[in-house]
Amino acid sequence: MTAYSDRDGKIWMDGELVDWRDANVHILTHAMHYASSVFEGERAYNGKIFKSVEHSERLIKSGQLLDMPITQTVAEIEAAKAAVMEANNLTDAYIRVLAYRGAGEDMGVASANNPVRMAVAAWEWGAYYGDAKMKGAKLDISKWKRPSPETIPSEAKAAGLYMICTMSKHAAEAKGCSDAMMLDYRGYVAEATGANMFFVKDGEVHTPKADCFLNGITRQTVIGMLKDKGINVIERHIMPDELEGFEQCWLTGTAAEVTPVGSIGDFTFEVGAMARDIAESYEKLVRE
C-alpha cells in the first residue's frame, strides 16, 4: 500500500490547492500536541458527496463545541470539497475535511491566539471492513468505555475522542477481529470504534440511545429508511447481556456504510434478510 504521505494529487489547504506531498504542517501545530482538531469523513458516489451539506454543518458545530471557531462558511467548505474532487478527477471517493488549531503565538494548553486552519483531501477507498458485507464483521468487546458527556463534548466529531477507539481497534485486530464494540461509562452498549450499531429482534430494530456518543449522519439516515419501510425502531439503553437475544446486527457509518455483523465476542448473529435489505437500500439511496 502506498503511504498516505507519498501520493500524487492535490489537497486543499487554507484556500488553495497544493501538491499532495507538500500538504504539511509545522511540528508545533497545536493540534498535534493537544488534539485541537475536528473532522468529517464523507463519501462521494457518482460524483456527488452524500449528505455533504449536513457534514459541513456538523464540522462547524464541532468547532464551536471545542471553542475553536471555523471561519469558513458551509458554502465555502462545499466549494473546497468540489475543488478537491475535480482536481483529483474523482467520482467515487472518500473525503476527509479537517479543521485544526495551527502553530501560532500559543504553545500551551490554551490556544486562542493560534489560527484555525482547514484542509480537505480525497481518495479512492473501498469497503471499510473488506468482505464483511457478505460474511458479517467479527467484533471484539473493548475494555475501554465511551466517557460521560460531562467529561467530553460527545456531540463533536473531535480527533481527541478517537484515542480510545484506536487502541480498541488495535486490540481487536490483534485477535483477528475487524473492530470492537464499546460500552459507555454506565455499562450500556454504545457503538463500534467508528460506527453506530443496530440490532434486530422479533421484526423490530433496537439501537443504542445516542446520549454519550456521536449520533451519526448515516445512523440518522438508516433510522429514517427503516421507519419508511414500516419497521419499528427503538432507541434505548441496551445491556450487554441482551446481545444473546438479538437475531441480527449491523454497523452504520460513512466509512462502514451498512455492514452486517456476524459476531461480537461470544455472541453470534445471522446475516439475515433485514440486514441485507437495509444494506442494499442504502446502496441505492447514496447513488440516486
Side-chain angles (χ1 to χ4, degrees):
M1 296 286 291
T2 304
Y4 277 94
S5 60
D6 186 22
R7 297 187 174 196
D8 296 327
K10 297 288 185 179
I11 291 177
W12 185 96
M13 295 189 74
D14 298 317
E16 62 178 322
L17 291 165
V18 301
D19 288 339
W20 191 289
R21 295 175 182 84
D22 295 332
N24 301 313
V25 297
H26 194 275
I27 193 63
L28 294 183
T29 292
H30 193 271
M32 293 182 65
H33 298 258
Y34 296 101
S36 50
S37 64
V38 296
F39 70 97
E40 286 295 319
E42 311 173 37
R43 278 192 189 264
Y45 302 88
N46 299 330
K48 182 180 178 181
I49 301 173
F50 185 65
K51 301 284 186 179
S52 184
V53 170
E54 287 91 331
H55 281 286
S56 296
E57 291 172 340
R58 188 172 67 180
L59 182 80
I60 292 172
K61 180 182 177 182
S62 293
Q64 293 169 343
L65 289 168
L66 265 67
D67 193 25
M68 196 180 76
I70 294 170
T71 59
Q72 288 85 357
T73 64
V74 168
E76 288 170 335
I77 298 170
E78 291 296 296
K81 289 187 280 188
V84 169
M85 291 280 291
E86 181 179 0
N88 292 286
N89 195 28
L90 293 169
T91 54
D92 285 39
Y94 180 84
I95 300 91
R96 174 61 58 90
V97 186
L98 177 74
Y100 60 97
R101 286 280 187 186
E105 297 176 22
D106 293 330
M107 199 49 228
V109 173
S111 61
N113 293 316
N114 290 17
V116 177
R117 302 196 177 280
M118 184 176 290
V120 182
W123 61 90
E124 293 182 348
W125 203 14
Y128 186 62
Y129 293 109
D131 62 0
K133 283 193 174 185
M134 298 299 296
K135 298 179 180 179
K138 180 181 179 183
L139 271 60
D140 185 26
I141 299 177
S142 175
K143 70 176 183 178
W144 299 103
K145 295 183 178 181
R146 300 309 301 165
S148 165
E150 294 178 331
T151 65
I152 61 167
S154 58
E155 293 181 23
K157 194 169 178 67
L161 306 187
Y162 282 80
M163 180 182 68
I164 55 175
C165 298
T166 296
M167 293 188 291
S168 298
K169 190 161 174 115
H170 285 175
E173 290 177 341
K175 296 178 182 179
C177 298
S178 301
D179 205 342
M181 181 186 78
M182 304 183 76
L183 306 181
D184 71 17
Y185 65 103
R186 298 160 296 192
Y188 297 129
V189 173
E191 58 179 349
T193 62
N196 294 126
M197 305 189 73
F198 289 79
F199 302 93
V200 178
K201 183 177 181 180
D202 298 329
E204 295 183 318
V205 172
H206 301 251
T207 187
K209 188 176 181 180
D211 58 0
C212 68
F213 56 86
L214 196 68
N215 181 11
I217 290 173
T218 309
R219 177 184 185 271
Q220 297 172 50
T221 300
V222 167
I223 288 174
M225 293 169 64
L226 290 164
K227 290 181 177 180
D228 288 344
K229 291 174 178 286
I231 297 168
N232 189 32
V233 180
I234 305 164
E235 298 181 67
R236 64 177 180 88
H237 294 141
I238 298 171
M239 291 298 294
D241 58 9
E242 293 186 65
L243 269 59
E244 186 175 10
F246 291 129
E247 302 144 12
Q248 301 175 51
C249 174
W250 65 77
L251 306 175
T252 64
T254 295
E257 299 171 295
V258 177
T259 299
V261 172
S263 65
I264 302 174
D266 294 331
F267 302 102
T268 59
F269 309 92
E270 64 171 326
V271 181
M274 191 182 296
R276 292 186 185 280
D277 176 68
I278 200 67
E280 292 172 2
S281 296
Y282 182 80
E283 282 286 331
K284 292 178 183 177
L285 176 66
V286 298
R287 296 184 182 279
E288 286 181 351

